């Protein structure tokens, strides 16, 4: 630790010396990075950020694998450092719906490797937490390795055990990003030239990003915490309050830092039915509340430390503690605590705060190198719970090019800072969406839940036709995407005997129309709106050589040829699966999915392209229809003079042609396992393209098809979905995609794949089908063999064409042989299932190639 003036140059500058910044610096230097400087506007180690006002409670279990994995890594790291109290964590249920949720907790913990998760009876809860009134609860979920981190102690440990240099009271005034790269960090103490920088300022993330011209969607929000006076029920417990921060410079109310530094002796607790949590502080009790209306903070007005307050702490608002202001709760925080913990009813509070932390629009962290500024990285919207893990991931990413934990590569699609849509940086948008995520922190969110604000931001040219057809719109990447169409309700009666009922949690927000659209497409022909998918134009001298370097498959293509390939990172992890179309010499169209794909995948190609190659991400520039089904050729031939016979237009080829009077790039590919084409047209022609196909195909039974049908159809065929079945945590051999790799070519990640092939594949993706149930399996649920977890569900749906419930999972290779019996735990039930060969539908591809 240093208190001197920062140097004028460093290889790496980390901005922010809180939980994330210190973790990044520690892990960077542990991996061998030199000349790392960490700066913070506040004093060290009590910076005035959220890391030092947080009570440090760590509940590790999440429906997200990466959140659970980073939490567990953090708990182990800080436990070994001696700054973690492993007292266990208990979440209580005051409703049957919450008990169902706690059963999901057990399943997620089992899937992701947390030790000994268990459900407790009310009496067992009170054995651990005697202040809880057992008559108020139905049970609890216990994770024995949950606990509490000593925030100030952990920051001190990081600083003492890292070779990085730390400088407090150093305010950042500007970022020099000229030439599209980070050149220097300007501070009130002078300029620091650097090769790379990390924004780890959390509550100030938006403001710091603005210095680089970035609109980072980081929304600060207040939530409440109180610490009681010493309680008779906790008498006899030793307390160091008054001595915990002796000798430290503490901005604002020292009592907050004092109490946050006092550890618990009982398990940390949560009452999510009322958006509450609690822990002991020696002989006092701390109680936290999200049980109030969202108190958003202007991200441009976070402010600074003063003698009166820490910069990320606001004054306690008594009305939000004593009045029910949360839209989803009918009791105030105090009333709910008084019922659950009766001993707290008449106690006084020794310390109170409205502490600030942050949310992104989707509630997940923002990690990685920014698309706009080379060398500028972010580690934002991260809590203490996950800070150690994300610091390790970011350090590995920066140093070695592969985001990973010691347990292996990790899936970055849901956390990458590049995943955000172009509109996400608009302040009203991300503040509103952040407020909604705050509101949902402890809520039970239904499967396929959809927001109701900031809708119709992005619509395809087909939107008005879709509305008239009764489309049920879901929002993806800001796009309105039909999940099913009410105009197809008549098809349900046609296929009624082939559509099983879906009950319980698995059936929420589903429609039988999705199944009917699936079956109709297999028998007739359907149009699917692919406008959310992205085309990336790659042109210029050296384009083919460039694509060969970034693509795992052979890019020696003839004009009009289409090839499926992967983009890999240096570790052989799958960054994307793509389709490459050669349009002309040194002119290619690369297609990939929607959502976060344009920013992540397009950004990767832009980063890797040489100066002679132009990479243009055409997000929204083309309107695209997937025309699929047995009648697809007959319908398309009616609309074009081009030869669309099997000989004239073979599978995995492309033509530039006209459909009616609409110019299209037609690809003969299919994501549903049926004869068909993708028709890519300029956006302004989209409405006419839809009308042309619709009018020409009425007697052929053409119908619109939504995303629900696409999901079940692609799973029957075993077609992969990036971010669900494949990502940076799997390589092509594990993912069953060796055909997308040509080891005779040179490409990024080849060396890692050679090593993996020599070592042997330890796990493999495989489909399972349920033996005697039509229920749909949900992602993240454990797959077991002889009682031991061997994997978890990556994706599940019902295969209406094969009349079986399907789940895809990665399992150890010794369990991947077809016919192996396994079990799946889902919603408190155990289902017998069988490993199957893939594809489950049309293995000879007769329906596609004809």
């Amino acid at each position: 630790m240093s208190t001197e003036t920062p140097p004028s140059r460093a290889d790496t500058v980390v901005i922010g010396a809180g939980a994330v910044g210190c973790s990044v610096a520690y892990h960077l230097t542990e991996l061998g990075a030199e000349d790392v400087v960490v700066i913070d506007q506040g004093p060290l180690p009590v910076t005035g950020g959220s890391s030092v006002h947080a009570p440090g409670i760590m509940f590790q279990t999440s429906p997200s694998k990466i959140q659970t994995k980073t939490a567990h890594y953090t708990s182990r790291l800080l436990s070994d450092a001696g700054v973690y109290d492993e007292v266990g964590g208990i979440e209580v249920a005051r409703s049957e719906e919450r008990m169902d949720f706690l059963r999901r907790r057990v399943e997620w913990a089992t899937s992701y490797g947390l030790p000994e998760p268990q459900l407790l009876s009310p009496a067992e809860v009170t054995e651990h937490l005697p202040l809880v009134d057992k008559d108020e609860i139905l049970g609890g979920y216990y994770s024995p390795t949950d606990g509490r981190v000593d925030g100030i102690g952990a920051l001190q440990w990081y600083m003492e055990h890292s070779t990085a240099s730390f400088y407090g009271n150093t305010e950042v005034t500007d970022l020099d990003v000229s030439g599209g790269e980070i050149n220097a960090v300007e501070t009130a103490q002078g300029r620091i030239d650097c090769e790379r920088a990390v924004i780890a300022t959390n509550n100030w993330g938006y403001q710091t990003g603005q210095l680089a011209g970035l609109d980072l969607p980081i929304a600060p929000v207040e939530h409440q915490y109180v610490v009681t006076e010493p309680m008779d029920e906790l008498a006899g417990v030793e307390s160091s309050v008054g001595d915990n921060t002796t000798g430290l410079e503490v901005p604002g109310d020292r009592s907050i830092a004092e109490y946050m530094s006092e550890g618990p002796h009982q398990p940390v607790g949560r009452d999510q039915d009322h958006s509450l949590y609690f822990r002991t502080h020696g002989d006092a009790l701390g109680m936290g509340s999200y049980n109030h209306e969202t108190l958003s903070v202007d991200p441009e007005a976070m402010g600074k430390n003063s003698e009166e307050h820490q910069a990320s702490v606001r004054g306690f608002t008594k009305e939000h503690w004593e009045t029910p202001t949360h839209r989803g709760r009918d009791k105030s925080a105090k009333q709910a605590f008084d019922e659950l913990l009766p001993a707290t009813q008449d106690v006084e509070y020794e310390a109170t705060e409205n502490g600030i932390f942050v949310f992104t629009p989707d509630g997940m962290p923002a990690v990685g190198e920014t698309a706009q500024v080379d060398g500028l990285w972010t580690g934002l919207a991260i809590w203490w719970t996950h800070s150690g893990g994300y610091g390790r991931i970011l350090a590995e990413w920066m140093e070695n090019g592969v985001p990973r934990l010691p347990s292996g590569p990790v899936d970055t699609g849901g956390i990458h800072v590049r995943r955000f849509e172009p509109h996400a940086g608009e302040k009203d948008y991300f503040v509103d969406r952040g407020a909604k995520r705050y509101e949902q922190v402890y809520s039970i969110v239904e499967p396929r839940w959809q927001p109701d604000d900031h809708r119709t931001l992005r619509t395809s040219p087909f939107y008005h036709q879709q509305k008239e057809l009764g489309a049920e719109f879901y929002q993806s990447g800001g796009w309105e995407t039909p999940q099913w169409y009410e105009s197809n309700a008549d098809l349900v009666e046609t296929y009624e005997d082939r559509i099983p009922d879906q009950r319980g949690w698995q059936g929420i927000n589903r429609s039988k129309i999705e199944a009917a659209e699936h079956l109709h497409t297999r028998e007739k022909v359907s149009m699917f709106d692919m406008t959310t998918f992205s085309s990336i134009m790659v042109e210029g001298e050296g384009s083919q050589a460039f694509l060969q370097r970034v693509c795992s498959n052979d890019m020696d293509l003839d004009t009009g040829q289409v090839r499926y390939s992967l983009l890999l990172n240096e570790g052989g992890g799958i960054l994307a699966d793509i389709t490459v179309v050669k349009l002309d010499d040194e002119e290619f169209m690369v297609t990939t999915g929607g959502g976060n794909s344009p920013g992540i995948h397009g950004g990767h190609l832009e980063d890797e392209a040489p100066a002679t190659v132009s990479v243009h991400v055409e997000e929204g520039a083309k309107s695209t229809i997937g025309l699929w089904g047995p009648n697809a050729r007959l319908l398309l031939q009616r609309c074009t003079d081009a030869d669309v016979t099997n000989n004239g237009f073979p599978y995995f080829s492309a033509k530039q042609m006209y459909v009616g009077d609409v110019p299209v790039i037609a690809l003969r590919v299919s994501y549903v396992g049926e004869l068909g084409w993708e028709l890519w047209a300029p956006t302004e022609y989209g409405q006419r393209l839809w009308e042309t196909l619709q009018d020409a195909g009425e007697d052929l039974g053409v119908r619109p098809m939504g995303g629900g049908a696409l999901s079940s159809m692609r799973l029957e065929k075993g077609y992969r979905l990036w971010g669900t079945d494949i990502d940076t945590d799997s390589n092509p051999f594990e993912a069953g995609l060796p055909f997308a790799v040509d080891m005779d070519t040179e490409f990024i990640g080849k060396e890692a794949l050679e090593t993996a092939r020599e070592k042997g594949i330890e796990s493999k993706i495989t489909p399972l089908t349920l033996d005697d149930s039509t229920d749909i399996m949900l992602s993240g649920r454990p797959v077991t063999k002889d009682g031991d977890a061997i994997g978890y569900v990556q994706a599940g749906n019902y295969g209406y064409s094969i009349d079986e419930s399907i789940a895809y999972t990665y399992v150890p290779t010794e369990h991947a042989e077809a016919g192996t019996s396994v079990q799946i735990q889902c919603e408190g039930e155990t289902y017998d299932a069988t490993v199957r060969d893939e594809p489950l539908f049309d293995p000879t591809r007769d329906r596609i190639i004809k």
Side-chain angles (χ1 to χ4, degrees):
M1 187 186 307
S2 174
T3 57
E4 301 172 0
T5 302
S8 61
R9 190 201 171 280
D11 287 347
T12 305
V13 177
V14 179
I15 307 169
V20 178
C22 286
S23 174
V24 171
Y26 167 80
H27 286 100
L28 279 173
T29 56
E30 186 183 45
L31 293 172
E34 299 179 349
D35 197 15
V36 177
V37 166
V38 186
I39 56 177
D40 198 286
Q41 66 177 342
L44 301 180
V46 190
T47 62
S50 56
S51 298
V52 294
H53 74 64
I57 290 175
M58 288 181 56
F59 291 95
Q60 300 168 84
T61 312
S62 168
S64 163
K65 176 184 176 182
I66 194 168
Q67 291 285 83
T68 303
K69 290 286 189 181
T70 53
H72 193 56
Y73 175 85
T74 304
S75 73
R76 299 309 88 202
L77 172 71
L78 299 181
S79 178
D80 290 344
V83 291
Y84 180 70
D85 299 302
E86 192 173 295
V87 291
I90 296 177
E91 302 176 38
V92 301
R94 293 215 243 179
S95 66
E96 291 291 350
E97 292 79 9
R98 185 63 62 177
M99 278 304 302
D100 288 340
F101 180 81
L102 297 186
R103 293 184 185 97
R104 291 176 208 131
R105 287 279 196 216
V106 174
E107 292 169 1
W108 294 324
T110 303
S111 290
Y112 305 143
L114 291 185
E116 301 181 40
Q118 53 196 280
L119 292 178
L120 304 180
S121 68
E124 290 171 325
V125 169
T126 57
E127 288 177 11
H128 293 282
L129 294 172
L131 292 180
V132 170
D133 182 352
K134 72 178 189 308
D135 294 332
E136 280 290 318
I137 62 174
L138 302 179
Y141 164 67
Y142 179 49
S143 175
T145 57
D146 286 352
R148 167 264 181 182
V149 59
D150 175 0
I152 295 174
L155 297 180
Q156 290 175 308
W157 182 86
Y158 277 133
M159 295 175 188
E160 292 167 0
H161 289 81
S162 170
T163 58
S165 300
F166 294 79
Y167 299 89
N169 298 310
T170 303
E171 181 184 355
V172 174
T173 58
D174 202 3
L175 297 176
D176 180 350
V177 296
S178 59
E181 61 184 8
I182 185 72
N183 298 302
V185 176
E186 302 276 2
T187 80
Q189 278 69 45
R191 176 185 173 97
I192 309 174
D193 292 323
C194 61
E195 302 296 322
R196 59 190 184 182
V198 181
I199 298 176
T201 50
N202 226 39
N203 296 343
W204 292 266
Y206 177 78
Q207 288 178 285
T208 312
Q210 289 286 288
L211 299 176
L214 305 180
D215 296 323
L216 298 174
I218 307 299
V221 182
E222 299 178 35
H223 87 290
Q224 298 189 299
Y225 196 80
V226 304
V227 183
T228 70
E229 63 186 350
M231 296 177 61
D232 292 341
E233 292 79 2
L234 300 175
V237 178
E238 292 186 7
S239 174
S240 300
V241 173
D243 300 320
N244 287 319
T245 61
T246 300
L248 298 178
E249 181 182 352
V250 177
D253 184 356
R254 183 175 290 269
S255 67
I256 293 174
E258 278 290 325
Y259 276 107
M260 296 313 169
S261 297
E262 189 69 24
H265 65 283
Q266 294 178 0
V268 296
R270 282 205 289 205
D271 170 17
Q272 292 183 289
D273 281 314
H274 296 89
S275 298
L276 308 175
Y277 63 95
F278 55 95
R279 77 165 177 92
T280 58
H281 297 254
D283 57 0
L285 186 71
M287 298 179 285
S289 167
Y290 301 100
N291 188 352
H292 53 77
E293 64 182 337
T294 306
L295 301 173
S296 296
V297 177
D298 184 344
E300 296 184 274
M302 271 298 305
K304 304 175 185 178
N305 291 326
S306 71
E307 292 185 5
E308 291 74 30
H309 71 276
Q310 291 183 23
S312 61
V313 173
R314 297 290 191 267
F316 185 72
T317 48
K318 186 177 179 181
E319 64 271 22
H320 291 109
W321 187 258
E322 298 182 352
T323 305
T325 60
H326 189 294
R327 289 194 300 178
R329 305 285 180 253
D330 58 2
K331 297 177 181 178
S332 70
K334 186 176 190 315
Q335 181 182 355
F337 269 129
D338 286 351
E339 294 171 353
L340 182 68
L341 310 171
T344 66
Q345 288 185 18
D346 299 317
V347 298
E348 299 293 327
Y349 302 143
E350 294 287 326
T352 61
E353 65 170 344
N354 278 14
I356 299 175
F357 63 154
V358 297
F359 288 90
T360 61
D362 60 11
M364 292 294 283
V367 179
E369 188 176 19
T370 64
Q372 300 90 337
V373 182
D374 291 344
L376 184 60
W377 296 72
T378 63
L380 296 168
I382 299 168
W383 300 1
W384 260 118
T385 304
H386 314 101
S387 57
Y390 281 120
R392 176 63 180 262
I393 288 169
L394 193 54
E396 290 274 6
W397 207 345
M398 295 173 68
E399 282 295 291
N400 302 318
V402 181
R404 60 183 297 125
L405 291 169
S407 57
V410 298
D411 166 2
T412 56
I415 62 168
H416 204 307
V417 68
R418 299 187 184 190
R419 74 186 183 275
F420 298 112
E421 313 88 350
H423 58 267
E426 197 279 320
K427 194 164 67 168
D428 286 344
Y429 175 85
F430 72 75
V431 168
D432 289 348
R433 284 292 168 91
K436 186 63 178 180
R437 293 298 174 180
Y438 172 88
E439 187 179 293
Q440 291 178 327
V441 167
Y442 283 176
S443 299
I444 298 174
V445 181
E446 294 179 342
R448 304 210 260 181
W449 169 85
Q450 291 292 298
D452 56 13
D453 64 337
H454 296 282
R455 297 300 297 262
T456 66
L457 276 167
R458 310 173 88 179
T459 59
S460 82
F462 320 131
Y463 178 72
H464 295 294
Q465 286 103 324
Q466 292 166 341
K467 280 190 69 176
E468 291 175 2
L469 292 166
E472 177 67 22
F473 289 106
Y474 281 17
Q475 193 174 69
S476 174
W479 290 98
E480 296 297 333
T481 62
Q483 190 71 7
W484 68 82
Y485 293 83
E486 287 296 330
S487 62
N488 290 329
D490 62 304
L491 295 176
V492 174
E493 184 176 351
T494 301
Y495 299 108
E496 189 170 10
D497 61 338
R498 300 172 62 184
I499 305 175
D501 290 330
Q502 296 299 334
R503 57 191 176 85
W505 191 250
Q506 294 102 309
I508 291 176
N509 293 326
R510 288 185 175 272
S511 170
K512 289 188 174 184
I513 298 174
E514 298 169 84
E517 291 176 357
H518 170 138
L519 293 166
H520 174 82
T521 305
R522 292 269 188 246
E523 294 185 2
K524 298 290 181 64
V525 60
S526 293
M527 297 190 300
F528 178 76
D529 181 2
M530 295 179 60
T531 301
T532 61
F533 289 51
S534 298
S535 57
I536 303 169
M537 303 305 295
V538 179
E539 303 172 87
E541 183 182 349
S543 293
Q544 184 157 316
F546 160 62
L547 287 172
Q548 186 62 76
R549 185 171 65 84
V550 296
C551 291
S552 63
N553 215 338
D554 184 9
M555 290 294 110
D556 185 11
L557 306 177
D558 296 327
T559 298
Q561 198 170 359
V562 177
R563 183 149 293 163
Y564 178 78
S565 185
L566 305 171
L567 305 179
L568 306 178
N569 63 22
E570 294 288 353
I574 302 172
L575 286 169
D577 65 333
I578 60 174
T579 301
V580 180
V581 186
K582 185 170 183 178
L583 299 175
D584 205 341
D585 290 343
E586 305 292 18
E587 182 183 358
F588 298 83
M589 184 172 78
V590 177
T591 70
T592 184
N596 55 17
S597 293
I600 297 176
H601 305 154
H604 174 72
L605 292 176
E606 289 172 334
D607 288 348
E608 296 292 335
T612 60
V613 175
S614 167
V615 175
H616 178 53
V617 182
E618 294 188 316
E619 188 175 12
K622 289 189 172 75
S623 53
T624 310
I625 290 177
L627 185 69
W628 298 313
N631 292 340
R633 176 177 286 120
L634 183 56
L635 172 51
L636 185 58
Q637 191 67 80
R638 290 179 177 181
C639 304
T640 184
D641 293 331
D643 183 358
V644 297
T645 64
N646 194 46
N647 289 331
F649 202 154
Y651 188 55
F652 260 66
S653 65
K655 286 186 179 184
Q656 299 187 59
M657 63 189 214
Y658 294 95
V659 175
D661 48 10
V662 176
V664 304
I665 299 173
L667 316 184
R668 189 167 166 207
V669 296
S670 169
Y671 192 53
V672 298
E674 293 293 334
L675 173 68
W677 285 262
E678 293 179 3
L679 305 174
W680 295 73
T683 297
E684 64 270 23
Y685 290 101
Q687 187 170 339
R688 176 62 63 87
L689 179 62
W690 181 285
E691 292 168 350
T692 298
L693 295 170
Q694 180 67 54
D695 292 346
E698 286 188 9
D699 64 316
L700 299 176
V702 69
R703 298 271 188 145
M705 181 190 98
L710 185 81
S711 174
S712 58
M713 294 179 80
R714 75 97 186 169
L715 214 58
E716 285 186 331
K717 284 295 294 178
Y719 292 152
R720 308 299 189 243
L721 177 61
W722 187 81
T724 299
D725 317 316
I726 54 175
D727 210 309
T728 43
D729 61 355
S730 56
N731 69 44
F733 304 137
E734 295 167 331
L737 299 173
F739 63 87
V741 178
D742 187 335
M743 297 297 284
D744 292 330
T745 63
E746 298 299 322
F747 56 87
I748 296 171
K750 178 180 176 179
E751 185 176 344
L753 291 192
E754 289 175 332
T755 301
R757 189 168 61 177
E758 291 170 5
K759 181 181 177 183
I761 304 305
E762 296 179 356
S763 67
K764 178 183 176 183
I765 196 169
T766 185
L768 312 175
T769 55
L770 299 191
D771 293 349
D772 53 10
S773 176
T774 60
D775 290 351
I776 291 175
M777 298 295 93
L778 301 175
S779 62
R781 307 312 172 92
V783 177
T784 63
K785 176 71 175 175
D786 300 326
D788 297 323
I790 60 172
Y792 60 91
V793 176
Q794 301 281 148
N797 213 316
Y798 197 77
Y800 299 99
S801 305
I802 64 171
D803 196 24
E804 292 187 279
S805 182
I806 306 167
Y808 262 81
T809 180
Y810 286 84
V811 297
T813 51
E814 62 266 29
H815 299 303
E817 184 177 352
T820 302
S821 295
V822 297
Q823 291 77 42
I824 302 175
Q825 296 173 16
C826 186
E827 289 301 296
E829 295 188 35
T830 299
Y831 297 84
D832 292 325
T834 301
V835 174
R836 300 280 297 276
D837 286 326
E838 62 173 348
L840 298 169
F841 177 78
D842 188 30
T844 60
R845 300 200 301 173
D846 291 340
R847 300 177 70 92
I848 300 175
I849 306 176
K850 61 181 181 180

